[in-house]
């Protein structure tokens, strides 16, 4: 049985209790303790900076050319916090409750409550660092709404919230680099964890410029390596996002939890051709003001603007009057798929729905005219002022849409379709964010915690920063307090030798295949299997087929992949090959997990388990647990279960009607 | 939007590593869709080169959404190519027509040495930030966020400066390889906020010193940087930087 080490006591006292009793490390000893932080996104940069400030000796790693480029930079819409600045009934409890419910009752109460509790401190910390959040004319912070909630608790910086938060954390990190507390290694890719006597003690990396393998020691290793949605090939993730770091940790004993919980985001720019390398998100914040619709007539070939109001089906408003366009992502995505599959899709591919700003532009235009004292504004004036107002809120997103599609969203509705976006699954961690390997931690999107079977919008940034700024600085001390007598282990230790040897052998094996198919092409094929059979809806038969197909693809990869260049140089194709090899194995486990979880919940939709209205139908009696998979050998895993105990909330059928 | 296909000639800078000399190589690409992005066109070309047993062209990229600042190609004499306020990853092939010849080079500046082909080393920017591009506040030291009201106009200006993605196009566009726009963006972002005030004087001086040490050139106000900047960072920020620098120097004279 897995022990999550949740502190005893009342829900709202657990974290305070923990902090009051966890072990501490005194400043002199902190200077002797070394910590490795892999990844410098919101989770990694905030952790490395905070641990450096505390006096630990930190080494931080990223594969990009600068820590500022981590994928967190691309987050658009916002970050949640239970500040209740809008006086609209928000509270820690409500944020906690919304998150548990949004996750379809598959996350841990203790963790989620702590997340809600520290959320307010995050906003304070970011503002102190100079993060330029949007403000009102009075000089105070502005908020917007996101899906799955009825309060306005999302803080934002236009459509660039992730960028501004990451720059804040990056600057804090660089300050620690300047002070000598953190050493930063860029263009370094972690390729394995070194485990000595059951404890994580270091990593082996490839220097991506020279190709050399390098060894690093740490008394503890903290993985903050982000999401792995690219297992589907096409996703909204950056091109480099991968599973490699946590997959290597998995093979060294860290359990992998809930891989089948993948978030498909409802509002992305649809696929346009088979050369397509990635999909672009149109932020959920657009659902604040935009209205989603399809024609009422099947296979309607008229242009959007030619379809009269009464012939449009605003299907989210129709099906979910209480939340309308702001239902959670899993619900909105399935509803779009349902309409398109039934023949109501729009655009050339018919795999798209409209996201329409016409009525928002009208509404804002009239309000602006009123503000400027114009009593009888002309339609042109309204349109112009409305365009301006929308531009201020969403300008960069509208520009991006236009650059990609060549269409002007101020004039014609955007076409959107769901796309892979976020991975709720990841390494299993306990309350202290420690994996099942001692001294090995996982923070941010790469762990599985907090979001259950579906993440609410604007909660990933919150979780990454909560983990890095406010959780790990306490919980890692509780472990390191017992490590103050462990001397620095030289990297000539046999375990380092052995690990590096294995990494080198694998790389050589890849390079020596010299087959005929490119990495990209094999990756695309994996993505297609995953999307078709383990995507927005799944069934047992399809999953069984997918497992077989992926196993065959794995054989093909290892006998026919073609990698150019050599080992000892800058070789992005080689880096990619290693990542795709890991994606293939993860894809297999994902399908195994999806098959084993014989229920629907949140983003995991099994066609044979749905309500008469087509909503996900949970099976709490049999599946109220976290699935944590232990790697045994090639194609073989053992399932461990962590039962979820709800003391505060009572799981019900989720309703947004 | 009408879609069309085109055949193109590419002249691309190839350089094995920082030590070897580089040269242009010519490639023909066919049937390129106007809907593709510029980098997807490179993907197609690279896929072909790999299949033919040749070395693919190395280029930096990650988000492909115009926000990470990783992509960096100098196209037909312009950093990030022909579109205004744009990054290469967001440049789409409808910017070109059938039969065009496109010349692609890396950023060229002493402070940005080439690593391979179109990939350069921009770590100098990180070191400039280390010199002072931050507010010194440890985790846990913050007051309530709304305890510091900030005039919307300043907050907006600060945000506009903070939008810099650290791509280095400003340096690549400048005949002196000056990094003034990048430094000015950071100094402005922080100087316009009350939280940034206490360190205003030391920040600007140490960032400028570091910039000089890295080998970036002087600013002679040609405004080429502003024209090339994908995030439309304004040169008025350079004026603010100069003002900040003067103020800091006067103070230290006393
Ligand atoms: C387009 C988009 C928009 C989003 N918008 C929002 C939003 O508005 N609100 C919200 O809350 N969430 C949003 N999200 C989700 C959110 O951005 C991510 O979940 C979050 O930023 C992840 O942060 P992270 O620190 O865990 O990982 P990342 O930011 O992905 O960082 C991963 C780090 O790990 C490093 N790394 C990875 N593997 C290795 C390795 N093997 N060796 C060395 N280094 C490695 C990388 O270099 C990088 O530094 C969005 C996501 C996307 C894709
Ligand atoms: S100022 Fe503009 S061009 Fe220069 S680094 Fe920043 S975003 Fe790039
Ligand atoms: S790839 Fe990120 S800005 Fe171009």
């Amino acid at each position: 049985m897995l022990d999550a080490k949740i502190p005893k006591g009342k829900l709202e006292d657990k974290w305070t209790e923990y902090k009051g009793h966890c072990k501490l490390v005194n400043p002199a000893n902190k200077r002797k303790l070394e910590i490795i932080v892999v990844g410098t996104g919101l989770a990694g940069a905030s952790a490395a900076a905070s641990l450096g400030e505390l006096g630990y000796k930190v080494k931080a790693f990223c594969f990009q050319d600068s820590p500022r480029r981590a994928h967190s930079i691309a987050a658009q819409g916002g970050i949640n916090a239970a500040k209740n600045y809008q006086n609209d009934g928000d509270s820690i409890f409500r944020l906690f409750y919304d998150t548990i419910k949004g996750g379809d009752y598959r996350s841990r109460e203790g963790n989620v409550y702590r997340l809600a509790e520290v959320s307010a401190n995050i906003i304070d910390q970011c503002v102190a660092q100079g993060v330029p959040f949007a403000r009102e004319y009075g000089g105070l912070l502005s908020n917007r709404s996101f899906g799955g909630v009825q309060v306005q608790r999302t803080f934002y910086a236009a459509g660039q919230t992730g960028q501004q938060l990451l720059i804040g954390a990056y600057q804090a990190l660089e300050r620690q680099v300047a002070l000598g507390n953190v050493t930063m290694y860029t263009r370094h890719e972690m390729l394995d964890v070194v485990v000595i006597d059951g404890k994580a003690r270091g990593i082996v990396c490839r220097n991506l410029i020279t190709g050399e393998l390098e060894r690093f020691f740490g008394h503890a290793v903290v993985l903050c390596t982000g999401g792995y949605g690219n297992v589907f090939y096409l996703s909204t993730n950056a091109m480099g996002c991968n599973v490699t770091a946590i997959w290597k940790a998995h093979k060294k004993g860290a359990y992998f939890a809930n891989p089948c919980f993948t978030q498909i985001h409802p509002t992305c720019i649809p696929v346009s051709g088979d050369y397509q390398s990635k999909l672009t998100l149109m932020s959920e914040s657009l659902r604040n003001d935009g209205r989603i619709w399809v024609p009422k007539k099947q296979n309607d070939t008229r242009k959007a603007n030619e379809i009269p109001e009464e012939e449009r089906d605003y299907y989210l408003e129709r099906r979910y009057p209480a939340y309308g366009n702001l239902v959670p992502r899993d619900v909105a995505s399935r509803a779009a798929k349902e309409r398109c599959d039934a023949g109501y899709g729009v655009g050339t591919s018919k795999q798209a729905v409209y996201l329409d700003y016409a009525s928002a532009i009208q509404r804002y235009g009239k309000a602006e005219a009123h503000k400027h004292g114009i009593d009888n504004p002309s339609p042109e004036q309204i349109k112009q002022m409305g365009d301006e107002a929308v531009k201020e809120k969403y300008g960069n997103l509208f520009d991006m849409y236009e650059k990609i599609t060549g269409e002007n969203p101020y004039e014609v509705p955007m076409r959107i379709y769901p796309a892979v976006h976020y991975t709720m699954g990841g390494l299993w961690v306990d309350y202290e964010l420690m994996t099942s390997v001692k001294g090995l931690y996982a923070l941010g999107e790469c762990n599985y915690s907090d979001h259950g079977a579906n993440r609410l919008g604007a909660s990933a940034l919150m979780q990454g920063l909560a983990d890095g700024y406010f959780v790990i600085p306490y919980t890692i001390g509780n472990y390191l307090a017992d490590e103050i007598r462990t001397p620095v282990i030289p990297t000539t230790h046999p375990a380092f030798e052995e690990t590096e040897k294995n990494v080198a052998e694998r790389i050589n094996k890849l390079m020596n295949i010299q087959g005929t198919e490119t990495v990209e092409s094999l990756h695309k094929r994996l993505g297609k299997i995953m999307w078709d059979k383990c995507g927005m809806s799944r069934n047992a038969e399809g999953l069984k087929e997918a497992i077989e197909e992926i196993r065959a693809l794995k054989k093909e990869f290892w006998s026919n992949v073609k990698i150019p260049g050599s080992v000892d140089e800058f070789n992005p194709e080689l880096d990619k090959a290693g990542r795709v090899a890991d994606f293939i194995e993860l894809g297999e486990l994902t399908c195994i997990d999806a098959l084993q979880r014989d229920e629907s919940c949140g983003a995991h939709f099994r066609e044979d388990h749905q309500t008469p209205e087509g909503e996900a139908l949970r099976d709490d009696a049999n599946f109220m647990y976290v699935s944590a998979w232990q790697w045994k050998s090639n194609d073989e895993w053992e399932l461990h279960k962590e039962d979820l105990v709800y003391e505060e909330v009572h799981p019900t059928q989720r309703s947004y009607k | 939007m009408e879609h069309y296909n085109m055949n193109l000639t590419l002249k691309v800078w190839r350089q094995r590593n920082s030590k070897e000399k580089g040269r242009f190589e010519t490639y023909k690409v066919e049937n390129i869709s106007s809907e593709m992005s510029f980098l997807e066109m490179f993907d197609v070309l690279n896929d072909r080169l790999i299949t033919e047993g040749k070395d693919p062209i190395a280029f930096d990229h990650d988000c492909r959404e115009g926000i990470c600042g990783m992509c960096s190609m100098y196209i037909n004499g312009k950093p990030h190519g022909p579109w205004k306020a744009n990054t290469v990853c967001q440049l789409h092939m409808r910017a070109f027509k059938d039969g065009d010849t496109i010349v692609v080079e890396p950023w060229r500046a002493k402070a940005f040495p080439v690593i391979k082909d179109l990939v350069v080393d921009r770590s100098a920017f990180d070191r400039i930030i280390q010199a002072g591009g931050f507010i010194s506040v440890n985790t846990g030291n913050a007051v309530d966020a709304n305890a510091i009201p900030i005039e919307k106009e300043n907050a907006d200006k600060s945000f506009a400066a903070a939008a810099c993605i650290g791509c280095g196009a400003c340096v690549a566009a400048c005949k002196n390889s000056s990094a003034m726009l990048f430094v000015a963006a950071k100094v402005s972002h922080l100087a316009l906020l009350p939280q940034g005030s206490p360190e205003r004087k030391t920040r600007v001086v140490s960032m400028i010193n570091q910039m000089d040490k890295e080998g970036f050139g002087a600013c002679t106000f040609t405004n080429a940087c502003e024209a090339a900047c994908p995030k439309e960072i304004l040169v008025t920020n350079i004026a603010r930087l100069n003002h900040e620098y003067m103020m800091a120097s006067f103070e230290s004279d006393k």
Side-chain angles (χ1 to χ4, degrees):
Chain A
M1 204 57 219
L2 279 171
D3 180 11
K5 294 194 262 173
I6 311 259
K8 298 264 169 321
K10 293 224 305 269
L11 187 60
E12 56 277 22
D13 300 334
K14 287 183 196 291
W15 183 230
T16 313
E17 274 294 303
Y18 178 90
K19 286 191 292 183
H21 294 100
C22 65
K23 285 176 244 172
L24 300 175
V25 181
N26 80 17
N29 283 328
K30 283 198 184 107
R31 281 193 287 276
K32 291 188 243 153
L33 290 167
E34 303 190 17
I35 301 176
I36 286 174
V37 176
V38 188
T40 59
L42 285 181
S46 59
S50 304
L51 295 171
E53 288 162 8
L54 286 173
Y56 293 108
K57 274 169 85 175
V58 179
K59 300 184 194 96
F61 298 81
C62 70
F63 65 75
Q64 291 93 343
D65 71 331
S66 163
R68 67 180 292 155
R69 308 211 199 278
H71 176 55
S72 294
I73 202 90
Q76 303 172 346
I79 176 166
N80 290 330
K83 278 283 196 189
N84 195 27
Y85 282 160
Q86 305 305 324
N87 196 28
D88 58 357
D90 201 6
S91 63
I92 291 172
F93 185 83
R94 208 178 276 275
L95 174 53
F96 153 78
Y97 178 80
D98 286 344
T99 308
I100 292 270
K101 174 182 170 194
D104 215 358
Y105 308 97
R106 288 294 176 268
S107 46
R108 249 185 229 147
E109 282 192 336
N111 282 55
V112 176
Y113 195 88
R114 175 178 67 190
L115 176 65
E117 203 175 333
V118 302
S119 67
N121 304 68
I122 297 172
I123 303 303
D124 300 341
Q125 184 64 29
C126 295
V127 166
Q129 290 169 343
V131 171
F133 284 121
R135 289 177 184 268
E136 304 293 348
Y137 282 97
L140 301 179
L141 294 166
S142 176
N143 289 115
R144 55 167 59 141
S145 335
F146 256 59
V149 302
Q150 289 174 316
V151 294
Q152 289 197 311
R153 64 160 75 98
T154 306
F155 294 79
Y156 64 99
Q160 285 132 273
T161 316
Q163 179 198 24
Q164 294 309 320
L165 294 172
L166 183 59
I167 294 299
Y170 157 75
Q171 289 173 185
L173 171 67
E174 294 296 5
R175 175 173 161 248
Q176 292 307 308
V177 172
L179 291 171
N181 299 329
V182 177
T183 311
M184 183 68 223
Y185 297 86
T186 60
R187 294 203 198 260
H188 272 67
E189 178 151 315
M190 178 203 124
L191 291 179
D192 214 345
V193 191
V194 179
V195 179
I196 300 175
D197 298 331
K199 291 177 175 174
R201 292 300 191 195
I203 59 172
V204 169
C205 287
R206 180 167 191 270
N207 176 327
L208 299 183
I209 298 180
T210 64
E212 270 165 283
L213 296 181
E214 298 172 9
R215 308 168 187 181
F216 300 92
F217 163 80
H219 288 90
V221 176
V222 184
L223 302 180
C224 310
T225 52
Y228 49 83
N230 283 346
V231 61
F232 288 81
Y233 186 72
L234 285 181
S235 82
T236 62
N237 289 190
M239 303 298 287
C241 290
N242 68 84
V243 76
T244 290
I246 59 170
W247 196 252
K248 302 303 189 202
H250 176 51
K251 288 190 145 179
K252 281 282 166 78
Y255 296 174
F256 207 108
N258 297 341
C260 81
F261 294 163
T262 305
Q263 178 160 84
I264 317 269
H265 195 295
T267 54
C268 304
I269 302 180
V271 178
S272 70
D274 43 330
Y275 48 78
Q276 189 125 7
S277 59
K278 75 157 281 166
L279 294 170
T280 302
L281 174 75
M282 287 285 107
S283 167
E284 175 159 305
S285 58
L286 291 169
R287 286 199 273 142
N288 263 296
D289 287 313
R291 298 180 70 193
I292 294 179
W293 63 276
V294 292
K296 280 189 181 159
K297 212 169 79 188
Q298 270 172 331
N299 301 315
D300 198 331
T301 51
R302 288 175 293 177
K303 291 212 173 78
N305 293 346
E306 291 164 2
I307 302 176
E309 194 57 31
E310 61 281 6
E311 292 178 41
R312 300 175 175 191
D313 177 13
Y314 296 92
Y315 57 88
L316 289 177
E317 297 168 34
R318 167 170 62 76
R319 286 178 64 178
Y320 308 100
Y323 283 72
N325 291 296
L326 284 174
V327 290
R329 293 174 176 178
D330 53 336
V331 177
S333 289
R334 274 196 293 276
K337 181 179 191 301
E338 186 277 328
R339 283 293 80 186
C340 293
D341 289 352
Y344 297 92
V346 301
T348 35
S349 66
K350 299 283 169 211
Q351 291 290 304
V353 301
Y354 288 128
L355 173 62
D356 197 338
Y357 260 70
S359 61
I361 290 172
Q362 287 295 315
R363 179 160 46 82
Y364 281 120
K366 283 180 191 150
E368 284 296 309
H370 184 74
K371 250 197 248 164
H372 289 86
I374 308 173
D375 281 342
N376 279 314
S378 67
E380 291 75 32
Q381 278 177 315
I382 293 177
K383 175 78 169 80
Q384 191 228 333
M385 291 179 158
D387 282 352
E388 288 294 319
V390 167
K391 192 179 171 118
E392 167 157 358
K393 288 197 147 145
Y394 311 106
N396 70 320
L397 300 171
F398 277 47
D399 288 349
M400 190 149 73
Y401 183 85
E402 183 164 3
K403 275 177 197 153
I404 293 173
T405 62
E407 291 172 0
N408 178 354
Y410 294 97
E411 303 302 329
V412 292
M414 291 182 246
R415 284 172 295 111
I416 52 155
Y417 197 69
V420 173
H421 179 60
Y422 180 90
T423 48
M424 280 77 71
L427 292 186
W428 182 88
V429 288
D430 63 19
Y431 189 73
E432 299 185 299
L433 305 182
M434 199 194 283
T435 67
S436 47
V437 174
K438 284 206 184 65
L440 181 67
Y441 294 80
L443 278 56
E445 189 172 341
C446 77
N447 74 24
Y448 93 100
S449 71
D450 300 1
H451 306 294
N454 174 59
R455 173 174 71 79
L456 290 181
S459 285
L461 302 182
M462 169 173 75
Q463 182 225 330
L465 291 179
D467 289 359
Y469 283 135
F470 297 109
V471 179
I472 195 73
Y474 291 92
T475 60
I476 206 167
N478 198 36
Y479 173 73
L480 290 176
D482 294 332
E483 293 292 329
I484 51 177
R485 275 170 215 88
T486 310
V488 169
I489 301 174
T491 54
T492 46
H493 185 283
F496 276 94
E497 298 274 351
E498 171 78 14
T499 310
E500 184 184 312
K501 193 169 127 264
N502 293 340
V503 171
E505 272 169 12
R506 185 167 185 269
I507 291 178
N508 287 331
K509 196 168 160 198
L510 281 169
M511 289 303 296
N512 289 334
I513 298 170
Q514 291 303 332
T516 58
E517 196 164 345
T518 61
V519 178
E520 203 64 14
S521 156
L522 287 153
H523 190 186
K524 250 183 219 181
R525 286 169 57 196
L526 171 67
K528 183 155 168 45
I529 302 173
M530 293 296 293
W531 180 247
D532 289 347
K533 300 191 167 154
C534 197
M536 256 187 290
S537 74
R538 302 147 177 199
N539 60 56
E541 204 177 323
L543 289 166
K544 282 180 200 152
E545 284 165 16
I547 294 167
E548 288 315 310
E549 287 169 35
I550 293 171
R551 285 180 181 158
L553 188 72
K554 179 158 66 183
K555 285 213 184 75
E556 214 181 315
F557 181 95
W558 283 99
S559 57
N560 196 32
V561 70
K562 186 176 175 71
I563 305 167
S566 63
V567 183
D568 53 358
E569 63 173 346
F570 187 81
N571 189 346
E573 282 298 313
L574 171 59
D575 308 336
K576 204 159 67 185
R579 296 172 193 168
V580 172
D582 294 335
F583 276 142
I584 293 176
E585 295 181 10
L586 163 76
E588 182 185 342
L589 178 63
T590 304
C591 294
I592 292 176
D593 185 44
L595 182 63
Q596 191 276 335
R597 191 167 279 277
D598 195 11
E599 65 160 351
S600 292
C601 60
H604 170 62
F605 191 72
R606 287 279 297 261
E607 286 155 12
D608 33 350
H609 301 287
Q610 48 181 307
T611 65
E613 295 92 21
E615 307 296 344
L617 187 61
R618 290 196 322 267
D619 177 355
D620 288 346
N622 293 304
F623 291 95
M624 189 73 112
Y625 58 74
V626 175
S627 303
W629 297 90
Q630 181 185 10
W631 188 80
K632 288 288 190 187
S633 66
N634 199 9
D635 298 335
E636 202 192 318
W637 284 269
E638 184 183 335
L639 176 63
H640 301 270
K641 297 174 183 175
E642 178 201 333
D643 284 330
L644 292 167
V645 184
Y646 286 93
E647 290 170 345
E648 203 68 36
V649 295
H650 303 288
T652 51
Q653 168 67 35
R654 235 172 16 150
S655 167
Y656 292 94
K657 287 195 192 302
Chain B
M1 259 285 150
E2 274 314 305
H3 310 150
Y4 55 95
N5 285 353
M6 61 195 110
N7 297 337
L8 303 162
T9 306
L10 301 175
K11 292 200 158 116
V12 185
W13 185 258
R14 302 302 311 263
Q15 182 173 341
R16 265 191 81 91
N17 53 44
S18 56
K19 287 172 206 91
E20 284 179 30
K21 270 178 70 177
R23 67 196 182 288
F24 281 104
E25 276 204 21
T26 305
Y27 304 92
K28 301 255 182 224
V29 285
E30 285 166 5
N31 268 321
I32 296 297
S33 156
S34 60
E35 286 201 89
M36 262 186 206
S37 75
F38 197 81
L39 298 186
E40 283 165 352
M41 187 260 298
F42 263 73
D43 294 342
V44 170
L45 171 60
N46 272 346
D47 215 58
R48 191 184 87 203
L49 292 177
I50 297 168
T51 318
E52 290 170 353
K54 296 184 185 138
D55 194 26
I57 302 161
F59 60 93
D60 261 334
H61 65 109
D62 197 21
C63 73
R64 297 203 176 187
E65 286 190 6
I67 193 76
C68 74
M70 191 107 179
C71 60
S72 45
M73 292 184 186
Y74 195 79
I75 301 166
N76 288 345
K78 286 191 168 163
H80 293 302
W83 285 358
K84 215 180 123 27
N86 194 52
T87 54
V88 224
C89 59
Q90 294 291 85
L91 178 64
H92 277 64
M93 293 312 292
R94 59 180 181 278
F96 302 94
K97 53 184 195 315
D98 192 31
D100 277 357
T101 296
I102 309 174
V103 182
V104 188
E105 299 167 74
W107 283 177
R108 298 200 192 268
K110 195 172 97 199
F112 290 162
V114 170
I115 292 175
K116 187 179 180 187
D117 299 339
L118 304 171
V119 176
V120 299
D121 177 355
R122 285 170 288 193
S123 52
F125 271 11
D126 287 336
R127 290 188 293 273
I128 293 177
I129 299 297
Q130 284 157 26
F134 48 74
I135 289 171
S136 300
V137 51
N138 283 0
T139 303
N141 271 341
V143 295
D144 182 83
N146 262 351
I148 327 169
I150 301 173
E151 207 183 321
K152 183 165 159 50
E153 198 187 321
N154 279 345
D156 287 351
K157 273 194 204 147
S158 168
F159 169 72
C164 163
I165 57 175
C167 63
C170 43
V171 176
C174 175
K175 64 179 168 57
N176 310 319
S177 301
S178 168
M180 276 295 252
L181 194 63
F182 168 76
V183 178
K186 188 47 60 198
V187 166
S188 293
H189 160 210
L190 299 175
L192 282 160
L193 299 171
Q195 306 92 298
S197 255
E199 293 164 289
R200 236 166 129 164
K201 290 172 195 144
T202 48
R203 174 181 308 120
V204 63
V205 174
S206 18
M207 287 180 77
I208 294 275
N209 287 345
Q210 187 64 33
M211 177 180 87
D212 292 342
K213 221 160 90 188
E214 296 289 347
F216 291 103
C219 171
T220 53
F221 305 101
T222 65
N223 293 1
C225 52
E226 184 186 276
C229 175
K231 297 295 146 184
E232 303 183 286
I233 306 292
L234 302 173
V235 286
T236 46
N237 288 302
I238 298 186
R240 186 176 295 107
L241 172 115
N242 286 331
H243 178 77
E244 292 281 318
Y245 191 76
M246 293 245 296
M247 297 294 284
S249 319
F250 278 140
E251 291 279 325
S252 57
D253 276 354
K254 271 196 294 200

